[in-house]
Amino acid sequence: MSELQAQSREELIAERDEIIIQLQGTWKSKKFFTVINLNALKAAAVIGVAGFLLAFVGSVLGIAFNLAIGNDLGHFKITDLFGFVALLVIGYMGIAFAVMWIVGVVRAKAADIEINGAVFQLVQKDQSEISLHHLTHYWMPHDEESDREDSRASLSPLWVGHMLERWDLNRYWLYPIRIRPMAYQQGQELVRLLDQVATLNNALEKLRESDG
């Protein structure tokens, strides 16, 4: 490694470590009602469509059965059928929305994030530990054992700027850790700093590759 590369490397490490210092401590989670409401609306829409089809088909079959056995349907109107189906569908949708909203409220609170030194971990979550010294924006293939030992991860922004914004900390040996900025009290600041750490680690990886 040349003197210039060594100097660049030290500067990148110093800048990265300074950002890691800003990340120290516990990042508190909070309820994120936007996602809860959207998930409940989606469930209500799906149940509404399914409920309409089932109620309509059931009503038509009921009418056909009554006609087949000779029942008098002289007072029956098609508007009555659609009114009955509409009431059933509204009931299905209301129940589905309420159930999914309650489930969402109960389960929506994300785990707090604890950052101690270069170690990132979800509070009270086993096997959630990663190293900020090995956090990049792209996966650097190593062998599985070293990836696990070094707690490597890559940061992937998804739906950035969208109400469902999500960032994934992808780990080779386990499922990704998903971070929604809206789920944390200072969520945008959290992902901004993590993004900077990953960018600096990318630059360090490129220096190592050029040196090799």
Side-chain angles (χ1 to χ4, degrees), residues 88-126:
L88 282 178
V89 169
I90 291 171
Y92 293 152
M93 292 178 69
I95 293 171
F97 181 89
V99 170
M100 290 303 296
W101 196 88
I102 292 170
V103 170
V105 168
V106 172
R107 299 179 58 186
K109 198 172 188 298
D112 293 347
I113 292 172
E114 182 75 36
I115 298 178
N116 183 14
V119 178
F120 171 111
Q121 187 172 22
L122 300 180
V123 176
Q124 296 179 339
K125 295 283 186 180
D126 294 335

Short mmCIF file of all heavy atoms in Angstrom, two decimals, residues 88-126:
data_model
loop_
_atom_site.label_atom_id
_atom_site.label_comp_id
_atom_site.label_asym_id
_atom_site.label_seq_id
_atom_site.Cartn_x
_atom_site.Cartn_y
_atom_site.Cartn_z
N LEU A 88 -73.56 -7.29 3.52
CA LEU A 88 -72.63 -8.35 3.93
C LEU A 88 -71.18 -7.93 3.71
O LEU A 88 -70.32 -8.12 4.57
CB LEU A 88 -72.92 -9.64 3.15
CG LEU A 88 -74.11 -10.46 3.61
CD1 LEU A 88 -74.28 -11.68 2.70
CD2 LEU A 88 -73.96 -10.91 5.06
N VAL A 89 -70.92 -7.35 2.53
CA VAL A 89 -69.55 -6.94 2.19
C VAL A 89 -69.06 -5.86 3.15
O VAL A 89 -67.92 -5.91 3.63
CB VAL A 89 -69.47 -6.45 0.73
CG1 VAL A 89 -68.13 -5.78 0.45
CG2 VAL A 89 -69.68 -7.61 -0.23
N ILE A 90 -69.89 -4.88 3.44
CA ILE A 90 -69.50 -3.82 4.38
C ILE A 90 -69.19 -4.41 5.75
O ILE A 90 -68.23 -4.02 6.42
CB ILE A 90 -70.61 -2.75 4.48
CG1 ILE A 90 -70.71 -1.97 3.16
CG2 ILE A 90 -70.35 -1.80 5.64
CD1 ILE A 90 -71.92 -1.06 3.08
N GLY A 91 -70.00 -5.38 6.16
CA GLY A 91 -69.75 -6.04 7.44
C GLY A 91 -68.44 -6.79 7.44
O GLY A 91 -67.65 -6.67 8.37
N TYR A 92 -68.17 -7.55 6.35
CA TYR A 92 -66.91 -8.28 6.23
C TYR A 92 -65.72 -7.33 6.30
O TYR A 92 -64.73 -7.57 7.01
CB TYR A 92 -66.84 -9.04 4.90
CG TYR A 92 -67.82 -10.18 4.75
CD1 TYR A 92 -68.28 -10.56 3.48
CD2 TYR A 92 -68.29 -10.89 5.86
CE1 TYR A 92 -69.17 -11.61 3.33
CE2 TYR A 92 -69.19 -11.93 5.70
CZ TYR A 92 -69.62 -12.28 4.44
OH TYR A 92 -70.50 -13.32 4.28
N MET A 93 -65.82 -6.23 5.53
CA MET A 93 -64.71 -5.29 5.46
C MET A 93 -64.46 -4.61 6.80
O MET A 93 -63.32 -4.41 7.22
CB MET A 93 -64.98 -4.24 4.38
CG MET A 93 -64.97 -4.80 2.97
SD MET A 93 -65.36 -3.56 1.70
CE MET A 93 -63.89 -2.52 1.80
N GLY A 94 -65.55 -4.25 7.49
CA GLY A 94 -65.41 -3.61 8.79
C GLY A 94 -64.74 -4.51 9.81
O GLY A 94 -63.84 -4.09 10.55
N ILE A 95 -65.15 -5.77 9.82
CA ILE A 95 -64.56 -6.74 10.75
C ILE A 95 -63.09 -6.97 10.41
O ILE A 95 -62.22 -6.99 11.29
CB ILE A 95 -65.33 -8.06 10.73
CG1 ILE A 95 -66.74 -7.86 11.30
CG2 ILE A 95 -64.59 -9.15 11.51
CD1 ILE A 95 -67.66 -9.05 11.12
N ALA A 96 -62.79 -7.14 9.11
CA ALA A 96 -61.41 -7.38 8.69
C ALA A 96 -60.52 -6.20 9.05
O ALA A 96 -59.39 -6.38 9.54
CB ALA A 96 -61.36 -7.63 7.17
N PHE A 97 -60.99 -4.98 8.81
CA PHE A 97 -60.19 -3.80 9.13
C PHE A 97 -59.93 -3.73 10.63
O PHE A 97 -58.79 -3.48 11.06
CB PHE A 97 -60.91 -2.52 8.67
CG PHE A 97 -60.13 -1.27 8.94
CD1 PHE A 97 -59.22 -0.79 8.00
CD2 PHE A 97 -60.29 -0.57 10.13
CE1 PHE A 97 -58.49 0.36 8.25
CE2 PHE A 97 -59.57 0.58 10.39
CZ PHE A 97 -58.66 1.05 9.44
N ALA A 98 -60.96 -3.94 11.44
CA ALA A 98 -60.82 -3.85 12.89
C ALA A 98 -59.84 -4.90 13.42
O ALA A 98 -58.97 -4.59 14.23
CB ALA A 98 -62.19 -4.01 13.56
N VAL A 99 -59.97 -6.14 12.93
CA VAL A 99 -59.10 -7.21 13.40
C VAL A 99 -57.65 -6.93 13.03
O VAL A 99 -56.74 -7.03 13.86
CB VAL A 99 -59.55 -8.57 12.82
CG1 VAL A 99 -58.50 -9.65 13.11
CG2 VAL A 99 -60.89 -8.98 13.42
N MET A 100 -57.41 -6.56 11.75
CA MET A 100 -56.04 -6.31 11.30
C MET A 100 -55.44 -5.08 11.99
O MET A 100 -54.25 -5.03 12.25
CB MET A 100 -56.01 -6.14 9.79
CG MET A 100 -56.27 -7.42 9.02
SD MET A 100 -55.11 -8.75 9.44
CE MET A 100 -53.56 -8.04 8.88
N TRP A 101 -56.27 -4.09 12.27
CA TRP A 101 -55.77 -2.88 12.94
C TRP A 101 -55.34 -3.21 14.37
O TRP A 101 -54.28 -2.79 14.82
CB TRP A 101 -56.85 -1.80 12.94
CG TRP A 101 -56.31 -0.43 13.27
CD1 TRP A 101 -55.80 0.48 12.39
CD2 TRP A 101 -56.22 0.17 14.56
NE1 TRP A 101 -55.40 1.62 13.06
CE2 TRP A 101 -55.65 1.45 14.39
CE3 TRP A 101 -56.58 -0.24 15.84
CZ2 TRP A 101 -55.43 2.32 15.45
CZ3 TRP A 101 -56.36 0.63 16.91
CH2 TRP A 101 -55.78 1.88 16.71
N ILE A 102 -56.16 -3.99 15.07
CA ILE A 102 -55.83 -4.38 16.45
C ILE A 102 -54.57 -5.22 16.47
O ILE A 102 -53.66 -5.02 17.29
CB ILE A 102 -57.00 -5.12 17.10
CG1 ILE A 102 -58.19 -4.17 17.30
CG2 ILE A 102 -56.59 -5.74 18.43
CD1 ILE A 102 -59.48 -4.86 17.71
N VAL A 103 -54.48 -6.20 15.55
CA VAL A 103 -53.27 -7.04 15.45
C VAL A 103 -52.06 -6.18 15.16
O VAL A 103 -50.97 -6.36 15.73
CB VAL A 103 -53.44 -8.13 14.37
CG1 VAL A 103 -52.12 -8.84 14.10
CG2 VAL A 103 -54.50 -9.14 14.79
N GLY A 104 -52.22 -5.21 14.26
CA GLY A 104 -51.12 -4.33 13.90
C GLY A 104 -50.64 -3.49 15.07
O GLY A 104 -49.44 -3.32 15.29
N VAL A 105 -51.57 -2.97 15.86
CA VAL A 105 -51.21 -2.16 17.03
C VAL A 105 -50.44 -2.99 18.05
O VAL A 105 -49.46 -2.54 18.64
CB VAL A 105 -52.47 -1.54 17.67
CG1 VAL A 105 -52.14 -0.94 19.03
CG2 VAL A 105 -53.07 -0.47 16.76
N VAL A 106 -50.89 -4.23 18.23
CA VAL A 106 -50.23 -5.11 19.20
C VAL A 106 -48.82 -5.46 18.75
O VAL A 106 -47.88 -5.50 19.56
CB VAL A 106 -51.06 -6.39 19.41
CG1 VAL A 106 -50.29 -7.41 20.25
CG2 VAL A 106 -52.39 -6.05 20.08
N ARG A 107 -48.64 -5.68 17.44
CA ARG A 107 -47.37 -6.20 16.94
C ARG A 107 -46.47 -5.14 16.31
O ARG A 107 -45.33 -5.43 15.94
CB ARG A 107 -47.64 -7.28 15.89
CG ARG A 107 -48.40 -8.47 16.41
CD ARG A 107 -48.65 -9.48 15.33
NE ARG A 107 -47.41 -9.94 14.73
CZ ARG A 107 -47.34 -10.75 13.67
NH1 ARG A 107 -48.45 -11.16 13.10
NH2 ARG A 107 -46.17 -11.11 13.18
N ALA A 108 -46.95 -3.89 16.20
CA ALA A 108 -46.24 -2.89 15.38
C ALA A 108 -44.97 -2.34 16.01
O ALA A 108 -44.11 -1.84 15.31
CB ALA A 108 -47.18 -1.74 15.05
N LYS A 109 -44.85 -2.39 17.30
CA LYS A 109 -43.70 -1.76 17.94
C LYS A 109 -42.43 -2.55 17.63
O LYS A 109 -42.31 -3.71 17.99
CB LYS A 109 -43.90 -1.66 19.45
CG LYS A 109 -42.96 -0.66 20.11
CD LYS A 109 -43.34 -0.46 21.56
CE LYS A 109 -42.53 0.68 22.19
NZ LYS A 109 -41.11 0.43 22.21
N ALA A 110 -41.51 -1.89 16.94
CA ALA A 110 -40.25 -2.55 16.59
C ALA A 110 -39.36 -2.67 17.82
O ALA A 110 -39.56 -2.00 18.84
CB ALA A 110 -39.55 -1.74 15.50
N ALA A 111 -38.36 -3.52 17.70
CA ALA A 111 -37.40 -3.67 18.80
C ALA A 111 -36.49 -2.45 18.84
O ALA A 111 -36.12 -1.90 17.79
CB ALA A 111 -36.58 -4.93 18.59
N ASP A 112 -36.15 -2.00 20.04
CA ASP A 112 -35.16 -0.93 20.17
C ASP A 112 -33.83 -1.39 19.60
O ASP A 112 -33.53 -2.59 19.56
CB ASP A 112 -34.97 -0.55 21.65
CG ASP A 112 -36.20 0.10 22.25
OD1 ASP A 112 -37.11 0.49 21.49
OD2 ASP A 112 -36.27 0.19 23.49
N ILE A 113 -33.04 -0.43 19.14
CA ILE A 113 -31.72 -0.73 18.59
C ILE A 113 -30.65 -0.25 19.57
O ILE A 113 -30.68 0.91 20.01
CB ILE A 113 -31.52 -0.07 17.21
CG1 ILE A 113 -32.43 -0.73 16.18
CG2 ILE A 113 -30.05 -0.17 16.76
CD1 ILE A 113 -32.45 -0.03 14.84
N GLU A 114 -29.74 -1.12 19.91
CA GLU A 114 -28.63 -0.79 20.81
C GLU A 114 -27.34 -0.80 20.00
O GLU A 114 -27.02 -1.80 19.35
CB GLU A 114 -28.55 -1.80 21.95
CG GLU A 114 -27.47 -1.50 22.97
CD GLU A 114 -27.82 -0.35 23.89
OE1 GLU A 114 -29.00 -0.21 24.25
OE2 GLU A 114 -26.91 0.42 24.24
N ILE A 115 -26.60 0.31 20.05
CA ILE A 115 -25.31 0.37 19.38
C ILE A 115 -24.25 0.64 20.43
O ILE A 115 -24.25 1.69 21.08
CB ILE A 115 -25.28 1.43 18.27
CG1 ILE A 115 -26.31 1.07 17.19
CG2 ILE A 115 -23.89 1.54 17.65
CD1 ILE A 115 -26.42 2.06 16.06
N ASN A 116 -23.38 -0.33 20.61
CA ASN A 116 -22.34 -0.26 21.62
C ASN A 116 -20.99 -0.48 20.93
O ASN A 116 -20.69 -1.59 20.50
CB ASN A 116 -22.58 -1.31 22.70
CG ASN A 116 -21.56 -1.22 23.82
OD1 ASN A 116 -20.82 -0.24 23.94
ND2 ASN A 116 -21.50 -2.25 24.65
N GLY A 117 -20.20 0.58 20.82
CA GLY A 117 -18.98 0.49 20.03
C GLY A 117 -19.34 0.31 18.57
O GLY A 117 -20.13 1.08 18.03
N ALA A 118 -18.81 -0.73 17.93
CA ALA A 118 -19.14 -1.01 16.53
C ALA A 118 -20.20 -2.09 16.40
O ALA A 118 -20.48 -2.56 15.30
CB ALA A 118 -17.89 -1.42 15.77
N VAL A 119 -20.82 -2.47 17.52
CA VAL A 119 -21.79 -3.56 17.51
C VAL A 119 -23.21 -3.00 17.46
O VAL A 119 -23.63 -2.23 18.32
CB VAL A 119 -21.63 -4.47 18.74
CG1 VAL A 119 -22.70 -5.56 18.74
CG2 VAL A 119 -20.25 -5.09 18.76
N PHE A 120 -23.94 -3.40 16.44
CA PHE A 120 -25.36 -3.05 16.25
C PHE A 120 -26.18 -4.26 16.64
O PHE A 120 -25.91 -5.37 16.19
CB PHE A 120 -25.59 -2.69 14.78
CG PHE A 120 -27.04 -2.51 14.38
CD1 PHE A 120 -27.51 -1.25 14.06
CD2 PHE A 120 -27.90 -3.59 14.29
CE1 PHE A 120 -28.83 -1.08 13.66
CE2 PHE A 120 -29.22 -3.43 13.90
CZ PHE A 120 -29.69 -2.17 13.58
N GLN A 121 -27.20 -4.05 17.50
CA GLN A 121 -28.02 -5.19 17.92
C GLN A 121 -29.42 -4.73 18.27
O GLN A 121 -29.63 -3.64 18.81
CB GLN A 121 -27.40 -5.87 19.14
CG GLN A 121 -28.09 -7.17 19.54
CD GLN A 121 -27.33 -7.90 20.63
OE1 GLN A 121 -26.56 -7.31 21.37
NE2 GLN A 121 -27.54 -9.21 20.73
N LEU A 122 -30.40 -5.57 17.90
CA LEU A 122 -31.77 -5.33 18.33
C LEU A 122 -31.90 -5.76 19.78
O LEU A 122 -31.47 -6.87 20.14
CB LEU A 122 -32.76 -6.13 17.47
CG LEU A 122 -32.76 -5.83 15.97
CD1 LEU A 122 -33.79 -6.71 15.26
CD2 LEU A 122 -33.06 -4.36 15.69
N VAL A 123 -32.46 -4.90 20.61
CA VAL A 123 -32.59 -5.20 22.03
C VAL A 123 -33.49 -6.42 22.24
O VAL A 123 -34.58 -6.51 21.67
CB VAL A 123 -33.14 -3.98 22.79
CG1 VAL A 123 -33.38 -4.32 24.27
CG2 VAL A 123 -32.19 -2.80 22.67
N GLN A 124 -33.02 -7.36 23.03
CA GLN A 124 -33.75 -8.58 23.38
C GLN A 124 -34.08 -9.45 22.17
O GLN A 124 -35.06 -10.18 22.17
CB GLN A 124 -35.04 -8.23 24.15
CG GLN A 124 -34.77 -7.56 25.48
CD GLN A 124 -36.05 -7.20 26.23
OE1 GLN A 124 -37.11 -7.08 25.65
NE2 GLN A 124 -35.92 -7.02 27.53
N LYS A 125 -33.27 -9.34 21.12
CA LYS A 125 -33.44 -10.21 19.95
C LYS A 125 -32.15 -11.01 19.75
O LYS A 125 -31.09 -10.44 19.51
CB LYS A 125 -33.72 -9.38 18.69
CG LYS A 125 -35.04 -8.62 18.72
CD LYS A 125 -36.21 -9.55 18.44
CE LYS A 125 -37.50 -8.74 18.32
NZ LYS A 125 -38.67 -9.61 18.05
N ASP A 126 -32.26 -12.32 19.85
CA ASP A 126 -31.08 -13.17 19.68
C ASP A 126 -30.62 -13.16 18.23
O ASP A 126 -31.42 -13.02 17.31
CB ASP A 126 -31.40 -14.60 20.10
CG ASP A 126 -31.68 -14.71 21.59
OD1 ASP A 126 -31.17 -13.85 22.34
OD2 ASP A 126 -32.40 -15.64 22.00
#
